[in-house]
Amino acid sequence: MGLSKYIARKLQLTETKQRIVENIFWAVLGKMVQLLSGLLVGVIVARYLGPENYGLMNYVISLVVLFQTFSIFGLDSIEIREEARSGQDFRTVIGTAFGLKVFFAILFMGLVILTSRLMDSDGYTTLLVVIYSFTIVLNSFGVIRNYFFAIVQNKYVVKAEIVRTLFGIGIKVLLLALNVNLTWLLVAYTFDGVLLSSGFIVAYTKKVGSIRQWHFDATYARFLLKESFPLLLTSAAVIVYQRIDQVMIGQMLDKQAVGYFSVASRFVEILIFIPMMLVQTITPILVRTREKSQEEYAVKAQMFMNVSVWLSLLSSAIVAVVAYWLVQLTFGPAYWPAVIILQVMAFKAASVALSNTAGAMLVTEGLQRYAIFRDALGCVACIVLNYLLLPRFGVIAAAFVAIASNVVAGYLADAIIPAYRHIFVCQTRALLTGWKDVLQFRTLFSNH
């Protein structure tokens, strides 16, 4: 019996809840493997390449990821929703979403190459962008991952992702042993997409059927585009203010600075994982509590925010204190400028906790339609502040801006949007007195 099933049985959950627990288990396992392997490979590759080439690699990846977000066109959430319903043949949903994604992938693959050609004077950077841009097309096979998520069977795609990760590590280590240059390493990162797509196809073929049964419906495609466009704006705004910093650092400073910033980001990604998992775990409890009692929901939502924010603050403070040893013992002395960046950026986890817990309340209360304004404000703040501060203060400014843009989008925006002001009050209360609830964390799960 698997560990997730064993836990579910011990808790004496219903079959539906057992599937949910198993799904959460695989989601957490997959994310942990992804983060830890990313850190491991990042350390090895960063030491091998040095700050300048490592920064160039991360600049290229960040630029491509920006355009990849637009190529998805917000279709993922809509696809999952439609497949979870029974009114439409899932093969039509997958086939139509896949066709749209391939079309947009080819379009934005061309645009990112053109953008690189216009922005970067050297042809080598554009060559690297051309190589890595193939991941935009390969990402279209994510429709299979979405299908398994929709039927609450994500263990199959997580297994594919774990296998991809292990094979990917082996390939990169082999290439490093052969003393290859940055070009071949980026080819290896692109090949990760081939491995993952192949794993998805194998999982789908074994558990569902042939992908040749997918069907593209032009009429249904118009419906999907109409439904997904608002989500495109939201996801694009989010990814811009989460990724644009590395692109702007590369353009306004140099690629070496991108390398230092990327090292700090590796550790911050792991820190952010804590509040993200808390949100995924607690949100269903909040939904059920609100259906039962508004008063109890208000109490538990506040407690959830308090605990999440202050645990993240504590984790951020610990990382800030040990940042020197973290960087020195992993990435090495060549990356010592990343220490001060990490000491500042560590507190991004607390700002993410403040924003994400509010986001969970918005979804629970059905107020997510205004979320685009939050994300747009964060996006504007990130671009404007980086533009003004990077030339004057250098890469350390980007660390402060990363926190500030999250605070603008996930806290100050809630004070501006009338429907969100009660959440702004909860957030302010969490910042001022939330530490009192950290020891009461267990009561969040009472009666559930």
Side-chain angles (χ1 to χ4, degrees):
M1 183 186 297
L3 178 58
S4 60
K5 290 184 178 179
Y6 175 78
I7 294 172
R9 294 279 176 84
K10 281 292 184 180
L11 294 174
Q12 297 181 333
L13 301 177
T14 64
E15 183 178 348
T16 300
K17 289 183 178 180
Q18 285 184 33
R19 289 179 63 188
I20 293 173
V21 168
E22 187 175 7
N23 234 39
I24 294 173
F25 170 81
W26 282 103
V28 171
L29 178 63
K31 190 65 177 178
M32 286 179 63
V33 171
Q34 178 188 344
L35 289 173
L36 294 176
S37 63
L39 178 61
L40 173 63
V41 173
V43 168
I44 297 172
V45 172
R47 281 177 170 267
Y48 177 82
L49 291 176
E52 186 171 354
N53 279 333
Y54 185 62
L56 175 58
M57 185 185 77
N58 280 279
Y59 167 81
V60 168
I61 291 174
S62 294
L63 182 62
V64 171
V65 168
L66 284 176
F67 283 80
Q68 181 175 287
T69 302
F70 288 97
S71 73
I72 295 171
F73 209 83
L75 284 164
D76 285 348
S77 296
I78 301 302
E79 180 199 341
I80 292 172
R81 185 194 72 186
E82 291 298 300
E83 287 164 353
R85 295 173 173 174
S86 56
Q88 185 73 40
D89 184 355
F90 73 89
R91 288 178 288 266
T92 299
V93 180
I94 298 178
T96 305
F98 180 74
L100 289 172
K101 283 190 173 185
V102 169
F103 170 76
F104 285 119
I106 294 172
L107 173 64
F108 283 98
M109 180 180 173
L111 287 176
V112 71
I113 294 171
L114 177 62
T115 301
S116 176
R117 195 71 191 94
L118 295 173
M119 289 171 57
D120 301 298
S121 57
D122 63 304
Y124 182 58
T125 300
T126 302
L127 171 63
L128 296 179
V129 169
V130 171
I131 293 170
Y132 195 69
S133 65
F134 281 99
T135 59
I136 300 178
V137 177
L138 293 168
N139 190 60
S140 301
F141 285 96
V143 295
I144 297 175
R145 176 190 59 232
N146 296 337
Y147 171 72
F148 281 112
F149 280 6
I151 63 173
V152 199
Q153 293 289 341
N154 64 349
K155 65 180 179 181
Y156 300 113
V157 293
V158 171
K159 288 178 180 178
E161 290 170 345
I162 292 174
V163 170
R164 181 283 308 261
T165 299
L166 297 177
F167 269 102
I169 291 174
I171 291 171
K172 294 179 188 71
V173 170
L174 176 61
L175 289 175
L176 293 178
L178 296 173
N179 293 316
V180 300
N181 59 20
L182 174 58
T183 305
W184 284 105
L185 273 177
L186 210 61
V187 169
Y189 276 96
T190 305
F191 188 66
D192 283 347
V194 176
L195 291 172
L196 186 59
S197 300
S198 302
F200 285 167
I201 293 171
V202 170
Y204 183 88
T205 303
K206 289 179 64 176
K207 298 298 178 181
V208 184
S210 173
I211 63 174
R212 294 179 182 178
Q213 296 174 343
W214 293 355
H215 170 65
F216 182 86
D217 186 311
T219 303
Y220 191 61
R222 288 192 290 272
F223 167 77
L224 289 181
L225 290 176
K226 181 181 177 181
E227 292 288 302
S228 63
F229 185 70
L231 294 178
L232 165 67
L233 299 178
T234 301
S235 59
V238 171
I239 202 69
V240 164
Y241 79 77
Q242 295 292 347
R243 280 284 187 171
I244 195 69
D245 43 19
Q246 296 191 36
V247 176
M248 294 185 74
I249 292 168
Q251 284 293 313
M252 301 178 72
L253 300 178
D254 53 48
K255 304 303 187 292
Q256 191 173 44
V258 179
Y260 299 140
F261 190 84
S262 300
V263 165
S265 298
R266 288 290 183 186
F267 293 105
V268 175
E269 285 173 1
I270 297 176
L271 268 180
I272 290 174
F273 176 67
I274 299 171
M276 287 179 64
M277 282 301 100
L278 278 174
V279 166
Q280 290 185 16
T281 303
I282 303 297
T283 299
I285 294 175
L286 293 182
V287 171
R288 292 194 297 271
T289 302
R290 189 168 186 265
E291 291 174 351
K292 184 177 66 173
S293 167
Q294 288 281 356
E295 292 76 13
E296 187 180 354
Y297 162 74
V299 172
K300 290 208 169 184
Q302 183 69 66
M303 186 180 295
F304 163 48
M305 184 174 289
N306 295 348
V307 170
S308 182
V309 169
W310 280 90
L311 283 180
S312 295
L313 273 171
L314 179 61
S315 302
S316 299
I318 293 172
V319 170
V321 170
V322 301
Y324 174 82
W325 293 277
L326 280 176
V327 173
Q328 292 292 93
L329 294 175
T330 54
F331 289 88
Y335 290 90
W336 71 263
V339 172
I340 185 63
I341 301 172
L342 177 57
Q343 288 175 325
V344 174
M345 270 190 71
F347 290 93
K348 180 181 176 180
S351 68
V352 169
L354 192 66
S355 175
N356 283 10
T357 50
M361 292 177 65
L362 298 182
V363 173
T364 302
E365 298 174 23
L367 298 173
Q368 66 269 24
R369 60 186 176 277
Y370 304 113
I372 179 60
F373 297 108
R374 298 171 94 226
D375 300 323
L377 283 172
C379 182
V380 171
C382 180
I383 294 173
V384 172
L385 290 175
N386 272 315
Y387 181 78
L388 294 175
L389 300 179
L390 275 176
R392 185 173 180 181
F393 298 103
V395 66
I396 190 63
F400 284 101
V401 171
I403 299 171
S405 56
N406 270 293
V407 171
V408 169
Y411 178 54
L412 298 181
D414 294 338
I416 298 172
I417 302 169
Y420 292 175
R421 282 178 187 156
H422 68 289
I423 294 179
F424 173 78
V425 172
C426 291
Q427 291 173 301
T428 304
R429 191 178 295 124
L431 289 171
L432 296 177
T433 62
W435 56 271
K436 298 177 183 178
D437 277 337
V438 173
L439 298 179
Q440 305 298 321
F441 182 59
R442 289 180 58 190
T443 61
L444 271 171
F445 301 91
S446 63
N447 301 319
H448 292 282

